């Protein structure tokens, strides 16, 4: 089960738009921990504090994740199969941007993480991103690592995967089939559960496609088939909220595109 880190925790690091803030937050969350929250147990491989660049490596595939300051409230991110220093490595991805800027002195943030993967969310921008290993449909896959090419959104979520499903050493875009933001579109691995607030709800796991081929899913990502307004009102989401439904703990995030849910108890499940 992943750990949930939030700006509302005691002794939590502060996130601002300023240089150094984002990388400091990730360094504390992923490698140090704070208060009664343990570190997510990623490895800090390289850091250039003067230029606000940091590189982490996870405990799964062992691939590298590099974050670099771009401008206020904006970070550049890319991934590498291996790295020799803070700027150089092999099989590097394109550079993507995390735009979390908000006109506030301190931002309301959440990181959901284990030692292989994490989501980053800000209530102020209502955006969420994914980084790290993902549950794969391919038995024994060792290169199931991806990063968000933009914030997750309805019908247009793309993940940059480190390698093709064949193992060929080339980055490839995976598309999230299904809409994890509470629409009427159905896709993925489907189940029906009893819903304690207003009858049955249809849930599904959106699937990552490589071309037309199912490749895997994102950790815990679950689609509750109700409109955003119903989820916000009935569940009581104020940006985000953890709720137990049918014995399963979910964290719900209110995003610009709708409400997205992450199953905390079945983080690595493909079903």
């Amino acid at each position: 089960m992943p750990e949930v880190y939030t700006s509302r925790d005691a002794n939590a690091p502060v996130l601002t738009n300023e240089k150094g803030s984002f990388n400091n937050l990730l360094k504390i969350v992923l490698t140090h921990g704070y208060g009664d929250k343990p570190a997510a147990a990623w490895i800090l491989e390289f850091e250039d504090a003067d230029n606000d660049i940091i590189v982490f490596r996870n405990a799964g595939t062992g691939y590298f994740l590099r974050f670099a300051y771009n401008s206020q409230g904006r970070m550049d991110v890319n991934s590498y199969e291996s790295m020799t220093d803070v700027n150089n490595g092999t099989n590097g991805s394109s550079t993507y941007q995390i735009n979390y800027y908000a006109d506030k002195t301190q931002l309301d943030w959440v990181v959901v993480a284990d030692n292989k993967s994490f989501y980053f969310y800000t209530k102020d921008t209502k955006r969420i991103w994914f980084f790290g290993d993902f549950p794969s449909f391919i038995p024994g896959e060792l290169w199931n690592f991806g990063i968000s090419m933009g914030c997750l959104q309805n019908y247009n979520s793309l993940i940059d995967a480190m390698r093709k499903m064949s193992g060929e050493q080339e980055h490839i875009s995976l598309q999230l089939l299904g809409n994890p933001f509470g629409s009427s579109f159905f896709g993925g691995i489907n189940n029906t559960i009893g819903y304690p607030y207003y009858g049955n709800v249809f849930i599904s796991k959106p699937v990552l496609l490589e071309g037309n081929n199912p490749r895997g899913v994102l950790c815990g990502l679950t689609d509750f088939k109700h409109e955003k307004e119903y989820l916000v009102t009935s569940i009581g989401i104020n940006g985000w909220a953890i709720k137990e439904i049918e014995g399963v703990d979910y964290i719900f995030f209110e995003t610009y595109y709708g409400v997205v849910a992450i199953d905390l108890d079945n983080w690595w499940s493909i079903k």
Side-chain angles (χ1 to χ4, degrees):
M1 183 173 178
E3 192 73 49
V4 178
Y5 307 85
T6 87
S7 54
R8 303 174 193 176
D9 298 334
N11 303 311
V14 172
L15 178 64
T16 72
N17 297 306
E18 300 308 312
K19 185 176 181 179
S21 180
F22 180 90
N23 279 345
N24 180 65
L25 185 154
L26 285 189
K27 181 165 67 171
I28 292 173
V29 166
L30 297 182
T31 69
H32 296 308
Y34 59 87
D36 62 354
K37 298 282 186 176
W42 284 57
I43 298 169
L44 174 60
E45 287 288 349
F46 306 106
E47 184 176 13
D48 178 351
D50 290 340
N51 292 301
D52 196 17
I53 304 172
I54 202 165
V55 177
F56 301 100
R57 180 165 60 88
N58 77 359
T61 55
Y63 292 147
F64 293 73
L65 192 55
R66 178 183 184 272
F67 295 94
Y69 180 77
N70 178 291
S71 59
Q72 279 203 331
R74 294 171 177 83
M75 301 295 297
D76 291 335
V77 58
N78 47 11
S79 61
Y80 289 86
E81 195 150 329
S82 65
M83 295 190 75
T84 55
D85 58 43
V86 75
N87 290 317
N88 296 288
T90 61
N91 193 27
S93 72
S94 298
T95 298
Y96 306 105
Q97 190 174 101
I98 302 169
N99 182 357
Y100 69 89
Y101 179 85
D103 189 16
K104 290 181 62 179
T105 55
Q106 296 185 17
L107 283 73
D108 193 345
W109 59 267
V110 179
V111 174
V112 184
D114 68 1
N115 62 355
K116 300 177 184 178
S117 310
F118 68 91
Y119 291 91
F120 169 72
Y121 167 83
T122 61
K123 174 184 174 182
D124 307 287
T125 60
K126 291 185 169 57
R127 292 171 178 167
I128 187 168
W129 294 263
F130 173 85
F131 308 97
D133 295 356
F134 56 85
S136 173
F137 295 154
I138 304 169
E141 183 179 356
L142 301 175
W143 45 89
N144 49 313
F145 183 95
I147 61 175
S148 291
M149 298 169 66
C151 63
L152 299 181
Q153 54 187 288
N154 50 344
Y155 302 119
N156 195 31
S157 296
L158 297 176
I159 300 295
D160 181 310
M162 183 66 71
R163 292 190 180 192
K164 294 182 177 180
M165 62 193 308
S166 64
E168 183 179 349
Q169 195 178 42
E170 180 182 344
H171 284 260
I172 189 163
S173 298
L174 307 180
Q175 183 173 12
L176 199 61
L177 175 67
N179 176 20
F181 295 91
S183 78
S184 59
F185 180 86
F186 296 97
I189 303 168
N190 304 317
N191 301 279
T192 302
I193 63 172
Y195 198 72
Y197 296 101
Y198 39 85
N200 288 337
V201 61
F202 190 92
I203 66 171
S204 70
K205 266 195 185 300
V207 172
L208 290 170
L209 290 183
E210 182 175 318
N212 293 319
N213 300 307
R215 176 78 180 268
V217 296
L218 292 185
C219 295
L221 189 65
T222 305
D223 184 1
F224 277 72
K225 296 302 180 185
H226 276 288
E227 295 295 332
K228 171 182 175 181
E229 290 74 16
Y230 289 112
L231 289 171
V232 170
T233 301
S234 297
I235 294 178
I237 299 171
N238 180 20
W240 60 271
I242 297 176
K243 298 289 181 179
E244 180 183 321
I245 298 176
E246 296 291 305
V248 176
D249 286 329
Y250 295 91
I251 183 166
F252 290 85
F253 293 105
E254 183 182 0
T255 79
Y256 178 81
Y257 301 96
V259 174
V260 63
I262 295 171
D263 182 338
L264 298 174
D265 293 336
N266 301 286
W267 177 258
W268 281 104
S269 174
I270 61 173
K271 296 182 180 180

